[in-house]
Amino acid sequence: GAVVSQHPSWVICKSGTSVKIECRSLDFQATTMFWYRQFPKQSLMLMATSNEGSKATYEQGVEKDKFLINHASLTLSTLTVTSAHPEDSSFYICSARDRGAGARSNQPQHFGDGTRLSIL
Amino acid sequence: EDKVVQSPLSLVVHEGDTVTLNCSYEVTNFRSLLWYKQEKKAPTFLFMLTSSGIEKKSGRLSSILDKKELFSILNITATQTGDSAVYLCAVLRGSEKLVFGKGTKLTVNP
């Protein structure tokens, strides 16, 4: 089945550091990937939709200059949390859908294992 | 505003019990409803439901969708401790965005 790999799985760093998280589709091509954030005991909240070869689409309230998204190839999207602060500490998860399944087909999104980000 | 509401938020049962998890939704441009199981890491896919009244089954898990009443249920029979997890309901909109509920935390005690 479709596999999505996310790296790193855990990051601890000082306030002010920028952190890059990678999301890769291992056995399929994904023109679209999604980035979510999950706070403790809360559900997943969509942050942005990453589009291969074009600009990401951000959800309301998500700062695009703070959360930089790059989707340079059909198998890789990156999320960079710039100048991270303690309030950015959260669980970040990406997902992707198999492009080969067709834009309107009902294939589920598959999730990476997530990145736990802790800012000191 | 799109809404996905799951109930109960938390459930504690004994091994062997049967549980029913509920999910109701109000979402524009509905395409499908999905159930995921989340343990310590990211959600793993269980079911995708698009049509009303057709039960999907996988082992001890089953799920059904009612598009008229805008809800779905996830059943787990003969629960095991390995079923302990947060079960997430999500609705896929036409834009391919997933709207998640808050989840039901299921604890199965031996």
Side-chain angles (χ1 to χ4, degrees):
Chain A
V3 177
V4 175
S5 171
Q6 197 172 330
H7 176 81
S9 56
W10 204 322
V11 180
I12 302 174
C13 58
K14 291 181 180 178
S15 188
T17 309
S18 291
V19 179
K20 183 188 276 190
I21 303 169
E22 291 186 350
C23 180
R24 291 180 188 274
S25 55
L26 295 187
D27 54 357
F28 65 98
Q29 293 182 327
T31 48
T32 305
M33 291 184 175
F34 302 88
W35 287 96
Y36 295 84
R37 182 166 51 185
Q38 186 177 32
F39 290 107
K41 297 186 180 180
Q42 297 293 316
S43 192
L44 281 77
M45 296 296 294
L46 180 65
M47 296 175 66
T49 303
S50 171
N51 303 298
E52 186 264 336
S54 64
K55 289 183 180 179
T57 306
Y58 290 81
E59 295 301 299
Q60 195 172 6
V62 178
E63 298 173 57
K64 60 182 179 183
D65 294 331
K66 174 122 183 112
F67 299 99
L68 301 178
I69 290 172
N70 185 281
H71 193 153
S73 79
L74 286 170
T75 58
L76 174 64
S77 174
T78 60
L79 169 68
T80 301
V81 184
T82 61
S83 187
H85 291 286
E87 58 266 28
D88 298 322
S89 298
S90 188
F91 191 53
Y92 293 85
I93 312 174
C94 70
S95 73
R97 199 174 72 86
D98 189 343
R99 164 184 186 244
R104 300 299 298 176
S105 76
N106 276 332
Q107 291 296 314
Q109 290 180 23
H110 293 274
F111 286 84
D113 277 343
T115 298
R116 191 161 301 283
L117 177 63
S118 298
I119 308 297
L120 305 177
Chain B
E1 188 184 329
D2 294 333
K3 255 190 328 189
V4 177
V5 179
Q6 290 185 245
S7 64
L9 291 180
S10 181
L11 190 55
V12 180
V13 300
H14 290 290
E15 262 192 323
D17 288 350
T18 293
V19 298
T20 298
L21 311 183
N22 304 294
C23 177
S24 65
Y25 62 92
E26 289 177 33
V27 173
T28 54
N29 205 5
F30 173 93
R31 276 177 65 180
S32 306
L33 184 143
L34 294 91
W35 285 96
Y36 288 89
K37 177 182 181 182
Q38 185 176 26
E39 296 173 268
K40 289 184 180 174
K41 293 190 175 179
T44 53
F45 170 74
L46 294 175
F47 297 112
M48 175 183 270
L49 304 157
T50 306
S51 301
S52 243
I54 300 173
E55 185 184 49
K56 292 217 171 175
K57 204 170 167 63
S58 176
R60 296 177 294 102
L61 277 67
S62 63
S63 184
I64 198 161
L65 172 68
D66 185 330
K67 288 168 78 173
K68 184 179 174 188
E69 300 297 329
L70 307 183
F71 79 90
S72 173
I73 59 172
L74 175 68
N75 274 326
I76 308 175
T77 59
T79 52
Q80 301 171 357
T81 54
D83 295 327
S84 296
V86 175
Y87 290 83
L88 295 169
C89 172
V91 172
L92 179 66
R93 295 181 53 197
S95 59
E96 291 206 51
K97 292 182 183 179
L98 277 176
V99 180
F100 280 87
K102 288 188 175 180
T104 294
K105 183 178 179 182
L106 175 65
T107 303
V108 182
N109 290 323

